[in-house]
């Protein structure tokens, strides 16, 4: 057993061992998977030890964060951190979120109710540093020390006892990337503190003030999207090649001819997919096209840069990047003259555009004349319209549903996807807990796309651990690999995380599990489809 | 950023060993990268895929879809994994000098 209870100020000290050590014995048990058969934990290699400050837990999320070389660089980090914190506390700079931040800093009663709600904390075997309160307590102590009269005067007597140096900042930066920002902790807090949101505020401070952000999220994420057109690197020219291939391939596989409508002015709906779908799950946008055409919907896609990629990674760490992307999406919809902009199966993009957008868009762009919506209610509307005939017996296999945190807990879209499954998937069952009480897939807040160094190991072993256990429990009577099973996850990010942990835990070989979105299941059960749409061999 | 040394030339790679500048790619670089991805020797079949990927990237600045690369090279995914044990994205694309895939892929 290696559970450690490091004092808060260890985060600022020269250490010989990490503040937490991940060991197999401590990790939560998973139904149907013997720990001895699990992929073993790779020890921390010398490259990591010699290059990075690895003393948080031996894992590195920020592969671009190299220790400072001079005293000046060290001082600069501290100065910028304090100036960033000051901005977060200033109503002029942080009017939308100041209240949440101040409530969290001033009113936590340390009851730890939130810890028991956190999948990372529980799955890790209750490592102290992963408590939702631990990272915030460090922020609180820094805040007290530098921004309150009693802290400045009395220091450690009033809990202002964490030193702020470059190590504190680097380890805190790693520690805010051990939280999926799923906000299950906030849901359970009796006082109304949102530790998930506070973790995001620290990420905002780090990204906007110090330029500290995982490469995948900022430089190769939002910035690439705003320059090339998509975080995947897909330019409008490449998009054309991709879409043509998807059209041909869909015809060969299904006999159905689709043609993605591009820049159709005056269409009712502009559909924006997470561009990762074109690259990794092309059957998803193809299924949308099949359904929309069969339902007689007037729709279009855009090939304007940013207009064909719904992602908005700023939601996880950067208000400025988030605002830029929301504006581009809204402007493209307005120029096309559509009535609605619908986001495909992507949780964070849906929340960024539909909820955060409300706080960003003004004037014409914020007008309620163009609504911004999730695709899930529309999919249920398509079913209800009766325009398409479905045969549920075509989906005669066990199905369970994953609730993407951003759309379900954080937006309250709970029933449309369940109504659809009730109608088309006779053997579907809930996993537990579910709906707004779901657990994150472990890939939330950018983790699914952070593939550098040994971070994927941490994600698969710790943050996705609760989800694989939930999935296997949902199928516990039918784990036999002779029975193919489908995890319905209507979110690109969740699918990325699920793909990786299915591979990590050998779920195809052991249990015959596959995964995909909701639209694929719908198309699979369409009476007019001559061949099955879901292919069980590929994932 | 780390560097690799190929025949005396220092080439910048990211923290997972992906080449940063595809212009610097050549046969020797491919051979060097192959060894880091469990490919001991690049056969004719390997080269076919590697050159295809490099050319596609040159034109489009992104890797092709997995299904497309299979189809265009007349291979199924199983065959791709036989040739490149670490897979099409991490293995084959890396050897072809492409940068690490980005976005929700």
């Amino acid at each position: 057993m290696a559970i450690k209870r490091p004092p808060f100020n260890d985060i600022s000290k020269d250490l010989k061992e990490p503040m937490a050590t991940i060991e197999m014995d401590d990790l939560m048990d998973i139904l149907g998977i013997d720990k001895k058969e699990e992929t073993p934990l790779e020890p921390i290699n010398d490259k990591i030890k010699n290059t990075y400050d690895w003393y948080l837990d031996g894992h590195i999320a920020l592969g671009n964060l190299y220790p400072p070389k001079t005293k000046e660089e060290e001082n600069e980090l501290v100065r910028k951190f304090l100036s960033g914190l000051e901005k977060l506390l200033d109503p002029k700079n942080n009017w939308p979120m100041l209240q949440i931040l101040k409530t969290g800093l001033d009113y936590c009663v340390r009851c730890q109710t939130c810890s028991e709600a956190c999948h990372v904390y529980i799955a890790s075997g209750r490592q102290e540093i992963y408590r939702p309160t631990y990272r915030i307590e460090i922020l609180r102590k820094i805040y007290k020390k530098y921004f309150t009269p009693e802290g400045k005067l009395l220091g450690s007597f009033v809990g202002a006892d964490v030193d702020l140096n470059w190590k504190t900042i680097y380890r805190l930066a790693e520690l805010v990337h051990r939280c999926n920002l799923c906000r299950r902790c906030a849901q359970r807090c009796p006082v109304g503190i949102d530790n998930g949101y506070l973790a995001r505020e620290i990420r905002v401070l780090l990204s906007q003030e110090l330029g500290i952000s995982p490469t995948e999220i900022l430089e190769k994420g939002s910035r690439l999207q705003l320059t090339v057109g998509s975080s995947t690197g897909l330019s409008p020219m490449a998009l054309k090649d991709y879409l043509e291939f998807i059209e041909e391939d869909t015809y060969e596989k299904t006999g159905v001819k689709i043609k993605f409508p591009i820049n159709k002015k005056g269409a009712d709906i502009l559909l924006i997919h997470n561009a990762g779908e074109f690259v990794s799950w092309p059957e998803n946008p193809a299924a949308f096209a099949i359904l929309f055409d069969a339902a007689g919907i007037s729709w279009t896609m855009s090939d304007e840069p940013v207009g064909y990629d719904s992602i908005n990674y700023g939601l996880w760490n950067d208000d400025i990047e988030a605002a830029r992307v929301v504006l581009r999406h809204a402007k493209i919809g307005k120029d096309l003259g559509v009535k609605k902009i619908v986001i495909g199966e992507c949780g964070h993009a849906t929340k960024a555009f539909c909820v955060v957008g409300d706080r960003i868009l003004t004037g014409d762009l914020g007008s309620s004349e163009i609504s911004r919506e999730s695709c899930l209610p529309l999919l249920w509307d398509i079913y209800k319209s009766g325009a398409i005939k479905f045969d549920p017996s075509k989906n005669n296999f066990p199905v369970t549903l994953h609730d993407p945190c951003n759309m379900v807990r954080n937006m309250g879209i709970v029933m449309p996807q369940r109504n659809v499954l009730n109608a088309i998937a006779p053997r579907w069952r809930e996993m537990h807990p579910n709906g707004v009480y779901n657990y994150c897939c472990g890939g939330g807040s950018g983790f699914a796309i952070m593939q550098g160094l040994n971070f994927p190991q941490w994600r698969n072993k710790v943050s996705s651990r609760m989800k694989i256990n939930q999935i296997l429990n949902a199928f516990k009577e039918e784990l036999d690999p002779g029975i193919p099973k489908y995890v319905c996850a209507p979110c690109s990010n969740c699918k990325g995380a699920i793909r990786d942990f299915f591979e990590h835990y050998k779920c195809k070989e052991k249990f015959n599990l596959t995964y995909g979105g909701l639209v694929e299941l719908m198309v699979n059960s369409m009476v007019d489809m001559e061949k099955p749409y879901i292919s069980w061999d590929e994932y | 950023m780390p560097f690799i040394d190929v025949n005396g030339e220092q080439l910048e790679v990211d923290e997972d060993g992906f080449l940063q500048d595809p212009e610097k790619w050549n046969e020797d670089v491919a051979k060097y990268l192959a060894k880091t991805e469990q490919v001991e020797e690049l056969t004719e079949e390997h080269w076919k895929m590697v050159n295809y990927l490099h050319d596609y990237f040159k034109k489009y600045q992104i890797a092709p879809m997995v299904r497309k690369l299979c189809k265009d090279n007349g291979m199924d995914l199983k065959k791709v994994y036989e040739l490149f044990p670490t897979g099409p994205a991490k293995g084959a694309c890396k050897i072809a000098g492409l940068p690490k895939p980005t976005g929700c892929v």
Side-chain angles (χ1 to χ4, degrees):
Chain A
M1 297 287 275
I3 300 295
K4 293 182 182 173
R5 305 220 178 315
F8 294 108
N9 199 27
D10 271 13
I11 199 159
S12 69
K13 288 185 179 161
D14 281 328
L15 298 174
K16 293 205 166 48
E17 291 294 324
M19 294 171 75
T21 312
I22 309 296
E23 287 187 9
M24 291 300 291
D25 283 352
D26 298 321
L27 299 176
M28 191 187 84
D29 288 334
I30 301 171
L31 177 84
I33 299 177
D34 190 327
K35 275 187 189 163
K36 289 187 201 83
E37 293 168 18
E38 248 185 66
T39 316
L41 271 166
E42 289 273 335
I44 308 151
N45 63 38
D46 287 345
K47 190 176 128 192
I48 287 178
K49 288 186 180 175
N50 296 332
T51 315
Y52 299 99
D53 182 277
W54 56 283
Y55 295 99
L56 182 77
D57 59 5
H59 290 78
I60 298 293
L62 292 139
N64 53 0
L65 192 59
Y66 304 107
K69 291 194 181 73
T70 62
K71 194 78 198 153
E72 285 71 41
E73 282 177 34
E74 291 181 18
N75 293 341
E76 186 68 358
L77 284 163
V78 172
R79 192 191 63 72
K80 284 184 172 171
F81 188 92
L82 288 174
S83 108
L85 187 52
E86 192 175 355
K87 284 181 193 169
L88 285 185
L89 293 165
D90 176 1
K92 281 207 293 287
N93 283 309
N94 195 18
W95 55 267
M97 294 303 164
L98 183 63
Q99 193 188 9
I100 295 185
L101 177 65
K102 285 287 282 174
T103 308
L105 290 175
D106 295 339
Y107 293 105
C108 175
V109 295
R110 286 112 175 136
C111 68
Q112 306 302 343
T113 307
C114 57
S115 296
E116 293 301 313
C118 174
H119 60 291
V120 172
Y121 175 68
I122 302 291
S124 72
R126 296 185 165 78
Q127 286 281 2
E128 193 71 12
I129 64 162
Y130 299 145
R131 284 183 188 277
T133 49
Y134 195 89
R135 57 182 76 80
I136 306 308
E137 191 64 23
I138 287 165
L139 179 71
R140 213 174 274 130
K141 285 171 182 293
I142 296 169
Y143 160 72
K144 235 182 187 162
K145 183 163 175 172
Y146 291 93
F147 293 94
T148 66
E150 69 271 26
K152 283 181 192 165
L153 205 64
L154 300 169
S156 59
F157 289 107
V158 290
D161 52 359
V162 163
D163 296 324
L164 184 63
N165 55 36
W166 74 269
K167 293 185 203 84
T168 320
I169 296 169
Y170 275 38
R171 289 170 200 162
L172 191 59
E174 283 293 335
L175 192 51
V176 289
H177 292 93
R178 300 296 183 276
C179 164
N180 284 115
L181 309 183
C182 80
R183 299 169 83 188
R184 203 170 188 271
C185 53
Q187 201 173 22
R188 296 299 173 94
C189 177
V191 188
I193 289 169
D194 192 338
N195 282 313
Y197 200 84
L198 264 70
R200 193 227 174 229
E201 287 285 276
I202 302 174
R203 290 195 190 188
V204 169
L205 189 171
L206 292 168
S207 179
Q208 292 181 196
E209 201 69 16
L210 291 96
I212 295 176
S213 184
T215 315
E216 296 90 340
I217 294 182
L218 188 64
E219 187 197 339
K220 301 284 183 189
S222 306
R223 298 266 163 89
L224 192 62
Q225 180 188 24
L226 288 160
T227 47
V228 172
S230 163
S231 54
T232 57
L234 204 63
S235 64
M237 184 178 89
L239 176 76
K240 191 163 177 279
D241 186 65
Y242 267 57
L243 295 181
E244 279 168 8
F245 180 80
I246 298 172
E247 288 164 357
E248 278 168 34
D249 200 45
T250 305
Y251 180 65
E252 270 174 38
K253 270 167 58 185
T254 66
V256 178
K257 276 197 172 149
I258 53 166
K259 176 87 191 133
F260 291 104
I262 301 293
N263 302 338
K264 227 170 73 184
K265 285 219 166 201
D268 289 343
I269 291 175
L270 166 64
L271 176 65
I272 313 182
H273 290 293
N274 178 322
E277 299 287 348
F278 303 126
V279 181
S280 295
W281 302 283
E283 60 286 353
N284 182 278
F288 268 96
I290 293 171
L291 283 172
F292 281 18
D293 287 349
I297 288 175
S298 151
W299 67 292
T300 187
M301 297 188 341
S302 164
D303 73 352
E304 284 283 314
V306 187
Y308 52 86
D309 192 356
S310 67
I311 70 107
N312 192 339
Y313 297 163
L315 183 82
W316 304 322
N317 73 339
D318 197 304
D319 292 341
I320 300 165
E321 302 298 329
R324 286 177 175 147
V325 173
V326 166
L327 280 167
R328 287 286 296 148
H329 286 148
K331 177 84 169 46
I332 288 165
K334 184 169 188 300
D335 290 348
L336 284 168
V338 297
K339 297 191 179 93
K340 252 184 212 187
I341 304 171
V342 171
I343 304 293
E345 294 185 356
C346 176
H348 90 276
T350 305
K351 197 190 134 194
F353 195 51
C354 302
V355 180
V356 179
D358 284 345
R359 290 175 182 236
I360 290 168
L361 298 168
T362 55
D364 277 4
L365 294 179
S367 132
S368 54
E369 279 167 31
I370 305 176
S371 59
R372 291 169 271 119
E373 298 182 11
S374 149
C375 64
L376 297 175
L378 178 65
L379 295 175
W380 175 229
D381 285 346
I382 288 176
Y383 181 88
K384 280 190 297 184
S385 75
I388 302 176
K389 285 207 162 49
F390 293 95
D391 174 4
S393 72
K394 287 185 165 190
N395 282 339
N396 188 24
F397 43 83
V399 173
T400 193
L401 174 69
H402 166 65
D403 288 299
C405 302
N406 276 308
M407 287 193 281
V408 182
R409 174 169 27 260
N410 294 333
M411 286 180 74
I413 305 171
V414 180
M415 288 314 292
Q417 60 274 41
R418 290 178 162 74
N419 292 337
V420 171
L421 289 179
N422 285 335
I424 63 155
R427 292 170 69 186
W428 96 272
R429 77 285 315 268
E430 293 277 10
M431 56 177 88
H432 295 281
N434 56 59
V436 296
Y437 296 108
N438 76 324
Y439 282 111
C440 171
C441 61
S445 82
F447 292 4
I449 64 168
M450 288 156 59
Q451 301 285 15
L453 298 167
N454 60 356
F455 189 72
Q457 162 166 292
W458 186 89
R459 165 168 31 83
N460 286 324
K461 288 276 184 238
V462 182
S463 69
S464 287
R465 201 169 187 86
M466 188 66 88
K467 187 51 62 176
I468 178 62
N469 190 45
Q470 269 194 295
I471 290 172
L472 292 173
N473 270 286
F475 293 129
K476 69 177 170 207
E477 311 296 336
E478 289 162 307
L479 288 177
D480 175 356
I483 309 168
K485 295 166 278 284
Y486 188 92
V487 178
C488 173
C491 170
S492 316
N493 238 277
C494 303
K495 282 192 293 195
I498 292 171
R499 174 192 55 205
D500 282 11
F501 72 69
F502 273 13
E503 200 185 318
H504 185 88
Y505 294 105
K506 301 184 176 61
C507 292
K508 179 74 185 169
E509 301 86 321
K510 277 190 173 159
F511 309 112
N512 203 352
L513 284 179
T514 194
Y515 71 96
L518 182 63
V519 284
E520 292 92 319
L521 272 178
M522 290 178 78
V523 172
N524 199 54
S525 68
M526 279 170 66
V527 170
D528 286 348
M529 296 295 288
E530 280 166 16
K531 293 180 212 162
Y533 190 72
I534 292 170
S535 50
W536 295 89
D537 295 330
E538 283 180 35
Y539 74 89
Chain B
M1 278 282 182
F3 288 86
I4 54 169
D5 186 316
V6 183
N7 300 334
E9 200 183 349
Q10 295 279 308
L11 301 172
E12 202 180 344
V13 292
D14 75 3
E15 65 272 12
D16 294 302
F18 283 80
L19 198 64
Q20 288 305 95
D21 181 1
E23 296 286 314
K24 297 273 166 70
W25 182 83
N26 57 37
E27 279 197 17
D28 289 339
V29 177
K31 283 180 194 160
Y32 179 98
L33 293 169
K35 294 216 162 53
T36 68
E37 292 301 316
Q38 302 166 32
V39 180
E40 277 311 308
E41 205 197 326
L42 288 164
T43 64
E44 202 176 311
E45 278 182 314
H46 287 102
W47 279 116
K48 190 180 160 197
M49 177 65 80
V50 163
N51 285 321
Y52 165 83
L53 290 170
H54 193 77
D55 291 345
Y56 190 94
F57 185 83
K58 224 173 176 172
K59 190 167 175 197
Y60 292 109
Q61 301 296 305
I62 187 172
M65 295 157 67
V66 173
R67 277 187 66 81
K68 187 172 165 72
L69 72 85
C70 291
K71 224 171 176 175
D72 288 355
N73 286 281
M75 296 175 189
D76 60 12
L77 197 55
K78 208 170 140 238
K79 176 76 190 168
V80 178
Y81 271 93
E82 274 168 27
L83 291 174
F84 303 96
T86 51
K90 194 173 173 288
C93 288
K94 186 180 193 179
I95 297 169
L98 275 58
K100 193 162 46 180
T102 59
C104 297
V105 297

Short mmCIF file of all heavy atoms in Angstrom, two decimals, chain A residues 119 180 182 184 402-403 405 409 438-444 463-464 466-467 470:
data_model
loop_
_atom_site.label_atom_id
_atom_site.label_comp_id
_atom_site.label_asym_id
_atom_site.label_seq_id
_atom_site.Cartn_x
_atom_site.Cartn_y
_atom_site.Cartn_z
N HIS A 119 -14.56 10.36 -8.88
CA HIS A 119 -14.11 9.07 -9.43
C HIS A 119 -12.60 8.93 -9.40
O HIS A 119 -12.08 7.83 -9.27
CB HIS A 119 -14.63 8.91 -10.86
CG HIS A 119 -14.16 9.98 -11.79
ND1 HIS A 119 -14.58 11.28 -11.70
CD2 HIS A 119 -13.27 9.95 -12.83
CE1 HIS A 119 -13.98 11.99 -12.64
NE2 HIS A 119 -13.19 11.21 -13.33
N ASN A 180 -10.99 15.97 -13.99
CA ASN A 180 -11.69 15.97 -15.27
C ASN A 180 -12.66 17.15 -15.44
O ASN A 180 -13.36 17.24 -16.44
CB ASN A 180 -12.50 14.68 -15.45
CG ASN A 180 -11.64 13.49 -15.82
OD1 ASN A 180 -11.53 12.53 -15.06
ND2 ASN A 180 -11.04 13.53 -16.99
N CYS A 182 -15.45 17.45 -14.16
CA CYS A 182 -16.78 16.86 -14.40
C CYS A 182 -17.82 17.49 -13.48
O CYS A 182 -19.01 17.40 -13.73
CB CYS A 182 -16.75 15.35 -14.22
SG CYS A 182 -16.82 14.78 -12.50
N ARG A 184 -18.88 16.65 -10.56
CA ARG A 184 -19.69 15.79 -9.72
C ARG A 184 -19.52 16.21 -8.25
O ARG A 184 -20.43 16.08 -7.45
CB ARG A 184 -19.23 14.34 -9.92
CG ARG A 184 -20.27 13.33 -9.55
CD ARG A 184 -19.86 11.93 -9.99
NE ARG A 184 -20.98 11.02 -9.78
CZ ARG A 184 -21.19 10.37 -8.66
NH1 ARG A 184 -20.36 10.50 -7.66
NH2 ARG A 184 -22.23 9.58 -8.54
N HIS A 402 -23.64 5.83 -21.96
CA HIS A 402 -22.76 6.71 -21.16
C HIS A 402 -23.28 8.14 -21.26
O HIS A 402 -23.62 8.60 -22.35
CB HIS A 402 -21.33 6.61 -21.69
CG HIS A 402 -20.44 7.71 -21.18
ND1 HIS A 402 -20.12 7.83 -19.83
CD2 HIS A 402 -19.86 8.76 -21.80
CE1 HIS A 402 -19.36 8.91 -19.67
NE2 HIS A 402 -19.18 9.50 -20.84
N ASP A 403 -23.34 8.81 -20.12
CA ASP A 403 -23.81 10.20 -20.09
C ASP A 403 -22.63 11.15 -20.11
O ASP A 403 -21.90 11.27 -19.12
CB ASP A 403 -24.61 10.45 -18.81
CG ASP A 403 -25.96 9.76 -18.84
OD1 ASP A 403 -26.76 10.10 -19.72
OD2 ASP A 403 -26.22 8.90 -17.97
N CYS A 405 -20.64 14.24 -19.36
CA CYS A 405 -20.87 15.18 -18.25
C CYS A 405 -21.37 16.54 -18.72
O CYS A 405 -22.26 17.13 -18.10
CB CYS A 405 -19.59 15.39 -17.45
SG CYS A 405 -18.92 13.88 -16.79
N ARG A 409 -24.92 16.18 -16.87
CA ARG A 409 -24.89 16.85 -15.57
C ARG A 409 -24.92 18.37 -15.71
O ARG A 409 -25.64 19.06 -15.01
CB ARG A 409 -23.64 16.44 -14.76
CG ARG A 409 -23.50 17.23 -13.47
CD ARG A 409 -22.44 16.71 -12.49
NE ARG A 409 -21.37 16.00 -13.13
CZ ARG A 409 -21.27 14.69 -13.20
NH1 ARG A 409 -22.18 13.94 -12.61
NH2 ARG A 409 -20.27 14.11 -13.83
N ASN A 438 -24.02 10.61 -13.28
CA ASN A 438 -23.05 9.74 -13.97
C ASN A 438 -21.62 9.96 -13.47
O ASN A 438 -21.33 10.93 -12.77
CB ASN A 438 -23.06 10.07 -15.46
CG ASN A 438 -22.32 11.38 -15.73
OD1 ASN A 438 -22.38 12.31 -14.94
ND2 ASN A 438 -21.61 11.44 -16.82
N TYR A 439 -20.76 9.06 -13.86
CA TYR A 439 -19.32 9.30 -13.70
C TYR A 439 -18.72 9.65 -15.05
O TYR A 439 -19.14 9.10 -16.08
CB TYR A 439 -18.61 8.06 -13.17
CG TYR A 439 -18.76 7.81 -11.69
CD1 TYR A 439 -19.51 6.74 -11.22
CD2 TYR A 439 -18.16 8.66 -10.77
CE1 TYR A 439 -19.65 6.50 -9.86
CE2 TYR A 439 -18.30 8.44 -9.42
CZ TYR A 439 -19.04 7.36 -8.96
OH TYR A 439 -19.17 7.13 -7.62
N CYS A 440 -17.73 10.51 -15.03
CA CYS A 440 -16.98 10.90 -16.24
C CYS A 440 -16.32 9.67 -16.86
O CYS A 440 -15.98 8.71 -16.16
CB CYS A 440 -15.92 11.92 -15.82
SG CYS A 440 -14.73 12.34 -17.09
N CYS A 441 -16.10 9.72 -18.18
CA CYS A 441 -15.40 8.64 -18.88
C CYS A 441 -13.92 8.60 -18.52
O CYS A 441 -13.21 7.67 -18.87
CB CYS A 441 -15.52 8.85 -20.39
SG CYS A 441 -14.77 10.41 -20.95
N GLY A 442 -13.45 9.65 -17.85
CA GLY A 442 -12.02 9.73 -17.53
C GLY A 442 -11.25 10.55 -18.56
O GLY A 442 -10.08 10.86 -18.37
N GLY A 443 -11.94 10.89 -19.66
CA GLY A 443 -11.27 11.65 -20.72
C GLY A 443 -11.65 13.12 -20.72
O GLY A 443 -11.17 13.89 -21.55
N GLY A 444 -12.54 13.51 -19.79
CA GLY A 444 -13.04 14.88 -19.78
C GLY A 444 -11.97 15.93 -19.55
O GLY A 444 -10.91 15.65 -19.00
N SER A 463 -8.18 7.70 -14.02
CA SER A 463 -9.39 8.52 -14.24
C SER A 463 -10.47 7.76 -15.02
O SER A 463 -11.65 8.07 -14.89
CB SER A 463 -9.05 9.86 -14.89
OG SER A 463 -8.64 9.71 -16.21
N SER A 464 -10.09 6.77 -15.84
CA SER A 464 -11.12 6.00 -16.56
C SER A 464 -11.53 4.73 -15.81
O SER A 464 -12.38 3.98 -16.28
CB SER A 464 -10.60 5.61 -17.95
OG SER A 464 -10.56 6.73 -18.80
N MET A 466 -13.17 4.10 -13.01
CA MET A 466 -14.55 4.01 -12.56
C MET A 466 -15.48 3.68 -13.74
O MET A 466 -16.41 2.89 -13.61
CB MET A 466 -14.96 5.34 -11.92
CG MET A 466 -16.30 5.33 -11.25
SD MET A 466 -16.35 4.24 -9.82
CE MET A 466 -15.80 5.36 -8.53
N LYS A 467 -15.20 4.28 -14.90
CA LYS A 467 -16.08 4.08 -16.05
C LYS A 467 -16.01 2.65 -16.57
O LYS A 467 -17.04 2.05 -16.85
CB LYS A 467 -15.74 5.08 -17.16
CG LYS A 467 -16.67 5.10 -18.34
CD LYS A 467 -18.16 5.22 -18.02
CE LYS A 467 -18.59 6.46 -17.32
NZ LYS A 467 -20.04 6.60 -17.10
N GLN A 470 -18.01 0.56 -14.29
CA GLN A 470 -19.45 0.78 -14.47
C GLN A 470 -19.97 0.04 -15.70
O GLN A 470 -21.05 -0.55 -15.67
CB GLN A 470 -19.70 2.28 -14.72
CG GLN A 470 -19.97 3.11 -13.51
CD GLN A 470 -20.52 4.46 -13.98
OE1 GLN A 470 -19.82 5.22 -14.64
NE2 GLN A 470 -21.77 4.75 -13.65
#
